[in-house]
Amino acid sequence: MRSRFNINNYSNLGQRAITAAIGAVVVISSIIFSDWTYFLVFAAILGFAQMEFYKLCGLDGMLPLKSFGTILGLMLFSLTFLIEKEQFPNEYLYLIFPIVSLTFFIKLYKKTDKKPFTGVAFTYLGIFYVAVPFSLINLAVFSVDQTYHYEIILGSLLILWASDTGAYFAGTKFGKTKLFERVSPKKSWEGFLGGAFSAIAIAFLVARYFHTIEDWKWLVIAGIIIIAGTYGDLIESLFKRSIEIKDSGKGLPGHGGFMDRFDGLLLSAPFITAFLKIF
């Protein structure tokens, strides 16, 4: 009798490897194939990540507008993409302000919500914490001559994944000195250094093959990812620890949720985009 594949039959490391391989194929293929496939896949990731964030808020007793907040996040992502792609004029970005203001109108008619201030605040926090970084990626990939350059996002992701992978294996094998024990007891300085070494090594490799930006900029991006990415991981650990959960979701076996996998990108993206736009 033919046996069915079940990822739950594998160890945590096996699940991580299988999920990472499948996810990497999907993400890398979408980035390289066209700007529209990049848009669709990253919009999906954004939607799942923002819903996870609002779910965490709910577990902490908050009542954000989950669906409406996620729609606003996707709208911001779509607008920045279409404007950078020069499908819409820049003035269309102003549409986001009156639409975001609808949050107050909706909360006004929520009779069961006893804390409307916190509901509105956490709805906006989900947009700022999750949707804005993803939207800024659009500015980064179009930062050179207003043309879609997949090398920028692909190179950044390869460096980020190298940092995460290096930190995981170095921390598992050699981790002794706690990095930030109050927030994340398992993270170590040895893991941080292993991640930093891996990120820099991949940055040199990326710079050799991707020439959309100067070589030295890839090293700066690696530095941003090493520092901001680590803080992004710690900040999400702080959120999860405050409500006593291990993972932000269960959508990615072996990795937890989408926020668990892309938390480093959430804090790195604003710095990377600002760096590329300024320099």
Side-chain angles (χ1 to χ4, degrees), residues 14 48 78-79 102 117 119 130 208 217 220 225 233 235 238:
F48 286 123
S78 301
L79 277 173
L102 292 176
F117 279 118
V130 183
R208 182 175 179 181
K217 289 184 179 179
V220 174
I225 288 172
D233 195 1
I235 288 168
L238 176 66

Side-chain angles (χ1 to χ4, degrees), residues 24 28 61 83 104 108 113 116 119 136 244 251:
I28 292 173
I83 289 170
F104 296 101
L108 181 64
D113 193 350
L136 288 173
E244 299 179 343

Side-chain angles (χ1 to χ4, degrees), residues 116-136:
F117 279 118
T118 55
V120 171
F122 279 90
T123 299
Y124 286 159
L125 181 59
I127 296 170
F128 189 80
Y129 180 57
V130 183
V132 168
F134 271 87
S135 301
L136 288 173

Side-chain angles (χ1 to χ4, degrees), residues 165-176 188 190-195 198:
T165 304
Y168 176 80
F169 285 105
T172 302
K173 183 71 174 179
F174 306 107
K176 293 181 179 180
S188 64
E190 291 81 2
F192 172 79
L193 293 175
S198 300

Side-chain angles (χ1 to χ4, degrees), residues 55-57 59-61 182-183 236-248:
K55 180 182 177 182
L56 296 182
C57 293
L59 293 175
D60 203 27
R182 177 174 63 86
V183 172
E236 201 205 343
S237 294
L238 176 66
F239 290 158
K240 292 187 294 184
R241 195 171 183 80
S242 69
I243 52 179
E244 299 179 343
I245 62 170
K246 180 182 178 182
D247 299 318
S248 65

Side-chain angles (χ1 to χ4, degrees), residues 136-158:
L136 288 173
I137 295 173
N138 291 328
L139 276 65
V141 296
F142 286 94
S143 62
V144 181
D145 59 38
Q146 288 302 113
T147 303
Y148 174 71
H149 289 283
Y150 74 84
E151 298 94 334
I152 293 175
I153 179 61
L154 179 56
S156 298
L157 284 176
L158 290 175

